[in-house]
Amino acid sequence: MVERAPRTGIRIRALGSPERWLVIATLVVFGVLPFASALVASSSGWQATGDTAIIGLRARDAWTGDAPLLGVPTTGDRSFGTPSNNPGPIEYWTLGATARLFGPQAGLILGIAAINAAALVGVAWLAFRRGGTELLALTAVALAGLVWTLGPVSLWDPFNSEVTTYPMLLALFAAWSVVIGDLRVLPVLVASATVAAQVHVAGAAFVAPLVAVVVISLLVVARRRPKAIRRDAAYLGGAGALGLLLWAPVIASELGSAPSNAAALWRTGTVDRPRIGLAFLLERLYAAVAPIPAFLQRSDFLTDASPIQVLLAGLVIGGAGTLALRLRTSRPRGPIPWFVGLITLTMISSVWVGSRQPPLAAFRPDGTRWLWVVSLAIWVALLWAARALLPDAADARVDRRIVPSVALAAAAVVAVVTLATFDLADIRDGEVMPQVGEIAAATVDALPAGAYHLQFEGDQALLGFGPAIAYRLEESGSTVSVDDNTFGRAFGDQRTRDAGSTPTLRISSRTDAEAGDGEELLIEMPVDPDDPAIGTIKVFVRR
């Protein structure tokens, strides 16, 4: 149970043949699962709508002269009057590459699948590196539960707040590895923390204390053991270069003439306005931890915690801390106390930042995905700490092939269940995706390629159908622009302008919408042919 080589951890190649192939098979299953799930979604008719279509438009801008330097706009201007963006554009740049390789629709979900495949494999690999096949088995079962709980959409959904989940977990495991001496994992930490921090402010709040502790630990190592720094200088240099490369757009934005996004985020978090508050976030934390942890609850939203849940959550968190302190006393150089300490820091930071969200966020799970990550991490830490206190003689009674077999079985079962239970109707806008595709295709077919100004009328037009039509128009070779307002800001500066002499498309989901002066009805289709009462999408054109 004791860490056998803090600098490099346990290596796969050190295992015997049966164990080694079982471990490799487990990593392969976790790596293939996101891609397989994305391909199932693509073949089932998934397409970009609403926010994901806008993300797709900005991904088209990546690798061009209009490349985005910041992430998706936050709701700060709507809630607090301060326009701000999520910290960075890493998602846009990643999807900009995969969309060019695999097409504008499939490329979006395959890009996210690549991010999550790397994160899942990284977590499983680092679990093995830190604790061998036993910790791999425990972590693989927990990962399988998390994937099953969040559903297959979590493996490939381009919606920015969902992208942070698995990279946050990888950043936690990578930071743990670095602070106990495995400096070779630094590039993994930089990559995972960058994705989590840039894509959503909640991810930034989660990884910020991890990065801070790692920096402090590196300074301590440089002072006390400079040979260790020189020995792994290539990994430190590589991590630094990678960090500068990935954060270059953000640095350019901050140094440019545009207002500081970092300052805007700070104002959003400190302005005197109604907030969710600490009590709300603490209740959600208790509900996430016990009695059934969030990563094993088949629910997308956590309810208020009852007194018994508060008590049980306190026992779980306190138990993990107590066992860690016990191990700290008996095994001063053991890795588990560091793991529990890092989890505690991420909880404190995430609770504080989350409590600063506007009241509207209380009804949305997208800014609280860290709760699912923390629930998994604290239970893994608790069980692993308890196992570490068992007599080492127990190792001899375990068949060395059984433990990695459990990990592989868990990964395989969740893979089969995830792929077999996918239903397009269960995901965001899934029920209307066939109609979205039909309306968007009909609009593209009815118009020559050119420049069009889009105006949205009604919630379904603004939030779902309109962005999908805009994405399809640009996919077909046209260019689009939208009105300069709070909702239009996400489309990018070059698309946010007045109509001028450009032909205008008015996309309406209002049942009473009719053609105005100079307009003609281009497309009219029901949102759901089987239920006309839901509404009708109409596209008017003014040339």
Side-chain angles (χ1 to χ4, degrees):
M1 286 296 301
V2 179
E3 181 88 359
R4 292 196 277 274
R7 181 190 169 205
T8 59
I10 303 167
R11 298 190 178 190
I12 295 175
R13 65 188 180 191
L15 299 175
S17 183
E19 275 188 296
R20 182 170 64 250
W21 289 112
L22 286 169
V23 169
I24 292 174
T26 302
L27 300 181
V28 169
V29 170
F30 277 120
V32 170
L33 178 58
F35 291 106
S37 182
L39 290 174
V40 169
S42 181
S43 64
S44 299
W46 183 91
Q47 57 189 292
T49 63
D51 289 329
T52 57
I54 298 175
I55 290 171
L57 283 169
R58 295 299 278 147
R60 289 178 58 85
D61 297 336
W63 310 100
T64 73
D66 293 314
L69 301 180
L70 297 172
V72 175
T74 70
T75 57
D77 50 350
R78 277 178 273 167
S79 301
F80 303 121
T82 304
S84 60
N85 291 61
N86 285 289
I90 189 71
E91 182 183 16
Y92 295 144
W93 287 75
T94 302
L95 299 188
T98 56
R100 285 168 170 81
L101 287 173
F102 304 109
Q105 299 293 336
L108 297 185
I109 56 179
L110 287 174
I112 302 302
I115 291 173
N116 287 328
L120 290 172
V121 171
V123 170
W125 170 63
L126 288 176
F128 171 80
R129 194 170 169 93
R130 300 276 67 83
T133 54
E134 289 188 345
L135 184 55
L136 170 62
L138 175 59
T139 305
V141 171
L143 275 179
L146 182 62
V147 172
W148 174 80
T149 294
L150 297 180
V153 67
S154 70
L155 297 170
W156 46 260
D157 189 0
F159 190 52
N160 66 301
S161 58
E162 298 289 347
V163 178
T164 61
T165 306
Y166 302 109
M168 280 193 291
L169 189 58
L170 177 57
L172 175 61
F173 273 77
W176 176 34
S177 297
V178 173
V179 296
I180 64 172
D182 194 352
L183 303 187
R184 297 182 177 190
V185 179
L186 265 172
V188 177
L189 172 62
V190 169
S192 56
T194 295
V195 173
Q198 288 197 17
V199 171
H200 199 277
V201 288
F206 185 91
V207 301
L210 300 178
V211 174
V213 170
V214 165
V215 170
I216 293 171
S217 72
L218 290 176
L219 293 174
V220 171
V221 171
R223 180 180 177 84
R224 296 181 179 178
R225 294 185 289 118
K227 288 184 178 180
I229 296 294
R230 291 195 295 269
R231 181 185 59 200
D232 291 322
Y235 297 95
L236 272 72
L242 180 62
L244 285 175
L245 176 66
L246 296 179
W247 286 91
V250 180
I251 296 171
S253 174
E254 288 295 314
L255 296 179
S257 58
S260 168
N261 187 59
L265 288 172
W266 179 259
R267 286 195 299 273
T268 298
T270 56
V271 67
D272 186 17
R273 294 288 179 88
R275 308 281 179 173
I276 287 180
L278 281 173
F280 178 89
L281 258 295
L282 287 173
E283 271 201 299
R284 292 302 183 268
L285 176 61
Y286 301 144
V289 171
I292 302 176
F295 74 96
L296 295 178
Q297 294 184 39
R298 198 65 189 266
S299 172
D300 197 44
F301 192 77
L302 297 170
T303 58
D304 295 339
S306 65
I308 188 65
Q309 284 179 298
V310 174
L311 175 62
L312 292 174
L315 290 174
V316 171
I317 297 172
T322 301
L323 293 178
L325 290 175
R326 173 79 180 276
L327 288 168
R328 180 69 177 169
T329 302
S330 60
R331 304 175 186 180
R333 294 183 179 274
I336 297 176
W338 280 106
F339 191 42
V340 175
L342 291 173
I343 296 169
T344 303
L345 286 175
T346 61
M347 282 195 293
I348 294 172
S349 175
S350 296
V351 165
W352 185 83
V353 172
S355 70
R356 309 298 296 169
Q357 295 179 98
L360 175 64
F363 304 98
R364 299 166 51 182
D366 55 357
T368 54
R369 277 289 175 244
W370 63 270
L371 287 168
W372 277 257
V373 175
V374 163
S375 73
L376 182 151
I378 199 68
W379 274 94
V380 168
L382 174 68
L383 296 175
W384 187 236
R387 171 66 185 90
L389 291 170
L390 292 177
D392 290 340
D395 288 342
R397 296 194 294 269
V398 178
D399 187 323
R400 297 181 67 84
R401 289 171 294 184
I402 292 178
V403 175
S405 297
V406 170
L408 177 59
V413 168
V414 75
V416 172
V417 171
T418 297
L419 297 178
T421 58
F422 177 77
D423 187 345
L424 192 66
D426 293 337
I427 66 175
R428 186 188 311 106
D429 291 340
E431 291 185 345
V432 298
M433 279 183 183
Q435 287 71 45
V436 171
E438 189 176 353
I439 292 171
T443 303
V444 170
D445 291 341
L447 294 170
Y452 296 95
H453 186 83
L454 275 59
Q455 294 179 330
F456 309 124
E457 191 175 70
D459 288 345
Q460 291 190 77
L462 174 67
L463 302 176
F465 285 77
I469 292 174
Y471 190 46
R472 284 292 190 90
L473 282 169
E474 290 218 348
E475 175 187 332
S476 67
S478 295
T479 59
V480 302
S481 62
V482 297
D483 291 334
D484 186 3
N485 55 35
T486 297
F487 290 97
R489 193 165 63 88
F491 285 78
D493 291 341
Q494 82 279 14
R495 295 189 184 89
T496 308
R497 56 180 180 268
D498 295 332
S501 59
T502 304
T504 298
L505 297 180
R506 179 165 61 97
I507 304 167
S508 178
S509 57
R510 289 176 47 183
T511 56
D512 60 348
E514 295 183 356
D517 292 340
E519 288 185 332
E520 62 178 283
L521 180 62
L522 189 69
I523 304 293
E524 180 177 5
M525 290 188 183
V527 172
D528 184 352
D530 297 327
D531 189 359
I534 292 180
T536 299
I537 298 294
K538 299 177 182 179
V539 180
F540 302 94
V541 60
R542 181 186 297 113
R543 303 184 189 277

